[in-house]
Amino acid sequence: MAFPPTPAILASHDLCAADLAEPSPATLEQVYAWIQLTRVVDNRILELFRQGLIKGTVTGGQGHEWFIVPLALLADKAVDVACFTHRGLGGHLIWSGHLCWHLDQYFANAGSPTRAREGNIHRGDPGRRSLPMISHLGAMLGPVLGATDSQRRFGRAAVGFAFFGDGASSTGDVHESLNLASLLSLPVVFVIENNRYAYSTPTREQFAGGKDLWRRAAGYGMEGFAIDCGDPVETGRTLAAAIERVRTTCRPILIEARTLRLRGHAAYDTCDYLQPGESDEFAALDPLPGFRARLADVLGSDRLDALDAELGGFVEACVQVSLAVPRPDPAGMESDLFAPAGAPLPWRPEPAEPEALTLAQALNRALRKVLVERPESILLGQDIAEYGGAFKVTEALFREFGRSRVWNTPLAESACTGYAIGLAMNGHRPIEEFQFADFATEATTQITLNAATLRFRSGAACPLVLRLPCGSVGLGSFHSQELESFFLAMPGLKALYPSTPQDAFNALLAAYEDGNPVLLFEHKGLYRRGKHPVAWDPHYRNVWRPHQVRAGDYATLVTYGEMVALAREVADYLAAEYESEIEVFDLRCLSPLDLTDIAAAVGRTRRLIVLHEGRRTHGFGAEIVARIAEQAAPPLLAPPLRIGSLDLPVPFAAELEAAFRPQRDGVIERITAWMG
Ligand SMILES: Cc1ncc(C[n+]2csc(CCOP(=O)(O)OP(=O)(O)O)c2C)c(N)n1
Ligand SMILES: [Mg+2]
């Protein structure tokens, strides 16, 4: 069914400062129409929820329109970046798309912009830089920063709009993002939607030090001010001036919009925690009736009544059209998880001559190659610039490429990863180094929920490489983790784990050109373990597949990372002492897991050993064993053998660490016992 024609009054989605100086009746009418539309749609959605026609969490923005509407009208939608919160329906309606398209999202039907994979307000229009929010409050600020910076790097005079509530103001991401925006001098308007409550919790139970959240701006070295709930046109004037300042000075600003929730937290909220009379107070503060009365004086009540009727009729017609859209089809969900492999980038076939390099040097050469050949690439991480990174993998790159391409991040893994996601969504390709893989847990939400799910829920690409120096080298619990199982328990992440300098070089190029977030595990113990020849390899994409590093017919051993060398040593020993030839596969790619070659090999040997440094319980070997055993035909001759580290935190002392992780003699003992 065709979408109903949009009323003429909604034809323009834009306002400029001059329109608001001495607003004409037409301007007033336009602002009113968008506010009224937003209110009517929010109320209708609530009704549809109560009728059981809309599911999930319905959080209305009733009471937030007085600032969100003028702000969205003032934004330059051709270049700016925004991420609205769950109170930002007006922003979404103005930014892009027909009302039916927005309603389809709420009905989660076949026309939904998220293909019904996300619900209600969790959407955006990433192609037009309206970033779809995830539930985790605060987590969208980093992406706004990155996408705004990306716009500026492309020479577009963009401003970013980053919204968060009074509740979200307590999250670490908000602090990290405010600090980062000020540090990088990013043109971002931060808007705190202070509606006095986070769900049922009043602000006095959320933070100390008074109610003036905007005063935090001074601590970040940025301008801040509050605007009280009131006239949308006056609010528009204040916002227009602030946006202009941000656009021209490139300095962020923090605005506290003191707003209200007319309908509680969500559709199911009973609001019985409100103080006596508070609900009436909110209703009295609602700027919409006053604005309407003022407008009636200018336009005449008849005209306004007719406008309301037209908007109401339009909303109703759209609801009926969207209700008739079929339910979504689950087909294609699985194949949509990852962006399909694109054509290889036009890499120069260099270096043509092999050079003997350590694995760290091979990564350095690959990073340099990316920086030289790919102008959209940006390296970020702690101490990676002048210092060259904790493991010197980025050595000398800063000198050659400067701070705009190779920059030191502050200790803010979550916001910096969010920032990298924003860059990636807007056409840049960031490579982020975590100082140690362990610290990636600080960015767990950004990695596993924001980046990893982005394509599935919005169709947007997130080409991002996350470099993770991992593995035990005598540094104890917090600098040694093998986190592949932890991260890969969540869908949407690719992962490579090279064991040789050439594979590391290839893996970096393959990860870089992939259209998905890729984890690149780099075992610290391999960084400087001898030099091996490295050159341009036209078959660099083969790192996405396992590699048979040793032939054998007795059993198939699957391993990766630092354990590859150990496995070869063990296999050589068993061949010499037991005359049993063990085949060894270096998995190289942990996600997506392609075990075709390994399954075929196990079909021949009919015995499977999995060896890894990560802990045994919930370890990556469990997945390999399960998949191979499931499809083993003919059946295996022996139960699969799974060797990993002990189920303990990584202990510090060398003797304890040696007992904790697989060692040559222990592995030989395990295998010979298993051989019987
Ligand atoms: C990090 C995080 N913790 C908990 C929640 C669950 N939650 C959803 S909305 C909400 C209250 C948010 O309050 P506020 O930031 O003030 O926004 P408001 O709903 O008032 O607009 C909570 C606790 C969440 N979404 N994110
Ligand atoms: Mg709130």
Side-chain angles (χ1 to χ4, degrees):
M1 230 192 294
F3 289 170
T6 305
I9 187 69
L10 302 176
S12 169
H13 295 226
D14 298 303
L15 263 185
C16 62
D19 295 330
L20 294 170
E22 292 289 336
S24 66
T27 297
L28 294 174
E29 196 180 7
Q30 182 201 6
V31 174
Y32 171 79
W34 280 110
I35 291 180
Q36 175 69 1
L37 176 81
T38 306
R39 179 70 59 91
V40 171
V41 173
D42 254 336
N43 286 342
R44 189 72 176 96
I45 285 169
L46 183 56
E47 222 170 68
L48 290 158
F49 173 84
R50 290 184 172 150
Q51 291 167 345
L53 294 167
I54 284 177
K55 314 281 186 199
T57 303
V58 166
T59 50
Q62 295 97 328
H64 287 233
E65 308 93 338
W66 60 273
F67 76 91
I68 201 92
V69 163
L71 187 149
L73 289 170
L74 287 162
D76 183 349
K77 273 82 67 188
V79 292
D80 289 348
V81 173
C83 182
F84 299 106
T85 69
H86 50 295
R87 308 285 171 211
L89 177 70
H92 285 294
L93 296 180
I94 291 166
W95 202 272
S96 61
H98 190 278
L99 177 57
C100 283
W101 186 70
H102 295 279
L103 290 170
D104 286 350
Q105 164 73 10
Y106 281 86
F107 288 120
N109 62 28
S112 143
T114 63
R115 304 179 74 181
R117 293 166 190 184
E118 259 292 7
N120 54 64
I121 202 87
H122 286 188
R123 70 185 187 291
D125 191 352
R128 292 189 178 84
R129 288 152 277 92
S130 163
L131 314 187
M133 76 174 281
I134 65 167
S135 287
H136 292 52
L137 297 170
M140 289 313 300
L141 269 55
V144 171
L145 268 49
T148 307
D149 194 20
S150 171
Q151 283 291 81
R152 289 280 173 161
R153 285 167 183 261
F154 285 130
R156 301 167 195 143
V159 166
F161 296 95
F163 299 87
F164 57 99
D166 48 282
S169 76
S170 297
T171 64
D173 262 305
V174 167
H175 164 73
E176 289 185 9
S177 301
L178 285 162
N179 179 52
L180 190 60
S182 184
L183 178 73
L184 297 181
S185 211
L186 296 176
V188 172
V189 178
F190 290 94
V191 183
I192 310 174
E193 300 175 70
N194 183 354
N195 56 18
R196 309 184 191 186
Y197 282 91
Y199 205 152
S200 74
T201 307
T203 45
R204 67 174 178 280
E205 292 181 38
Q206 297 181 52
F207 37 81
K211 63 183 172 61
D212 291 338
L213 280 170
W214 65 272
R215 290 191 192 279
R216 295 185 186 180
Y220 299 105
M222 64 173 77
E223 182 192 339
F225 62 87
I227 29 173
D228 282 307
C229 183
D231 178 64
V233 169
E234 213 177 293
T235 301
R237 279 192 212 108
T238 309
L239 290 173
I243 294 168
E244 187 52 27
R245 281 202 297 286
V246 171
R247 206 179 293 285
T248 48
T249 62
C250 257
R251 288 296 305 162
I253 207 168
L254 177 64
I255 304 175
E256 178 181 348
R258 291 182 180 145
T259 187
L260 47 106
R261 281 184 341 193
L262 290 172
R263 295 293 196 137
H265 174 68
Y268 44 71
D269 185 3
T270 51
C271 288
D272 39 17
Y273 49 82
L274 291 180
Q275 302 296 310
E278 208 173 2
S279 219
D280 295 339
E281 189 198 334
F282 285 164
L285 278 172
D286 179 8
L288 182 53
F291 187 47
R292 191 183 190 285
R294 199 179 122 201
L295 204 55
D297 291 343
V298 180
L299 298 175
S301 298
D302 291 351
R303 167 74 198 124
L304 265 192
D305 290 346
L307 176 57
D308 285 355
E310 188 187 9
L311 293 172
F314 170 63
V315 172
E316 212 37 53
C318 290
V319 167
Q320 296 314 318
V321 168
S322 287
L323 270 172
V325 175
R327 299 304 305 156
D329 184 353
M333 276 207 294
E334 285 180 286
S335 54
D336 273 355
L337 182 62
F338 289 121
L345 289 174
W347 300 110
R348 289 184 211 139
E350 294 167 359
E353 293 307 317
E355 188 186 353
L357 300 174
T358 64
L359 189 140
Q361 289 169 329
L363 287 167
N364 178 275
R365 297 302 187 277
L367 289 169
R368 182 171 182 278
K369 182 176 175 67
V370 169
L371 285 164
V372 167
E373 297 182 29
R374 305 304 314 174
E376 75 284 349
S377 60
I378 295 167
L379 269 51
L380 63 150
Q382 288 157 19
D383 305 296
I384 68 160
E386 291 91 336
Y387 189 67
F391 300 98
K392 302 292 177 195
V393 171
T394 57
E395 194 159 43
L397 298 177
F398 169 76
R399 262 204 316 279
E400 188 174 350
F401 299 97
R403 201 166 300 282
S404 69
R405 306 286 303 285
V406 181
W407 68 277
N408 284 336
T409 60
L411 274 70
E413 281 84 357
S414 186
C416 290
T417 305
Y419 163 87
I421 292 169
L423 286 176
M425 288 179 78
N426 201 59
H428 280 92
R429 288 196 175 228
I431 301 177
E432 181 177 2
E433 173 177 308
F434 286 87
Q435 196 153 81
F436 288 79
D438 309 68
F439 301 113
T441 58
E442 293 288 297
T444 306
T445 299
Q446 295 292 356
I447 297 170
T448 64
L449 297 177
N450 218 348
T453 64
L454 184 62
R455 178 180 156 78
F456 181 76
R457 64 190 156 86
S458 77
C462 191
L464 177 65
V465 181
L466 302 174
R467 297 188 34 240
L468 299 160
C470 59
S472 295
V473 287
L475 296 172
S477 277
F478 311 109
H479 294 75
S480 306
Q481 299 288 327
E482 291 283 279
L483 292 177
E484 62 272 22
S485 291
F486 176 84
F487 280 117
L488 296 178
M490 303 296 270
L493 296 168
K494 291 194 173 185
L496 293 168
Y497 198 149
S499 69
T500 68
Q502 182 68 59
D503 274 356
F505 183 87
N506 291 357
L508 200 119
L509 302 186
Y512 181 79
E513 68 179 15
D514 200 83
N516 301 283
V518 183
L519 308 178
L520 185 58
F521 291 102
E522 304 169 6
H523 197 289
K524 302 187 290 288
L526 292 176
Y527 273 146
R528 290 184 171 73
R529 190 168 298 172
K531 292 191 173 183
H532 302 273
V534 176
W536 162 252
D537 173 5
H539 305 296
Y540 64 98
R541 282 188 169 195
N542 284 349
V543 292
W544 292 113
R545 298 182 64 82
H547 173 52
Q548 193 212 44
V549 295
R550 188 185 192 287
D553 55 8
Y554 179 78
T556 302
L557 188 154
V558 182
T559 188
Y560 51 90
E562 204 208 6
M563 291 291 140
V564 174
L566 188 144
R568 290 174 88 147
E569 221 183 296
V570 166
D572 288 347
Y573 174 86
L574 294 172
E577 299 294 325
Y578 288 77
E579 292 177 4
S580 296
E581 293 289 347
I582 293 188
E583 172 185 44
V584 177
F585 272 96
D586 178 357
L587 202 51
R588 304 198 291 194
C589 170
L590 309 188
S591 173
L593 195 53
D594 180 353
L595 295 180
T596 318
D597 296 347
I598 291 171
V602 176
R604 290 190 298 274
T605 62
R606 300 178 65 192
R607 291 185 182 87
L608 173 66
I609 306 167
V610 179
L611 167 67
H612 55 58
E613 180 175 323
R615 281 174 276 265
R616 213 175 101 89
T617 300
H618 302 297
F620 201 69
E623 186 62 34
I624 299 170
V625 165
R627 288 203 197 190
I628 297 290
E630 266 173 352
Q631 55 182 342
L636 300 179
L637 296 173
L641 177 63
R642 207 152 49 100
I643 308 174
S645 288
L646 300 181
D647 293 327
L648 293 172
V650 185
F652 177 69
E655 299 82 351
L656 306 187
E657 189 191 82
F660 163 79
R661 66 198 287 267
Q663 304 286 330
R664 179 183 177 277
D665 292 351
V667 172
I668 291 170
E669 263 172 45
R670 292 286 304 278
I671 296 179
T672 49
W674 173 77
M675 286 162 67

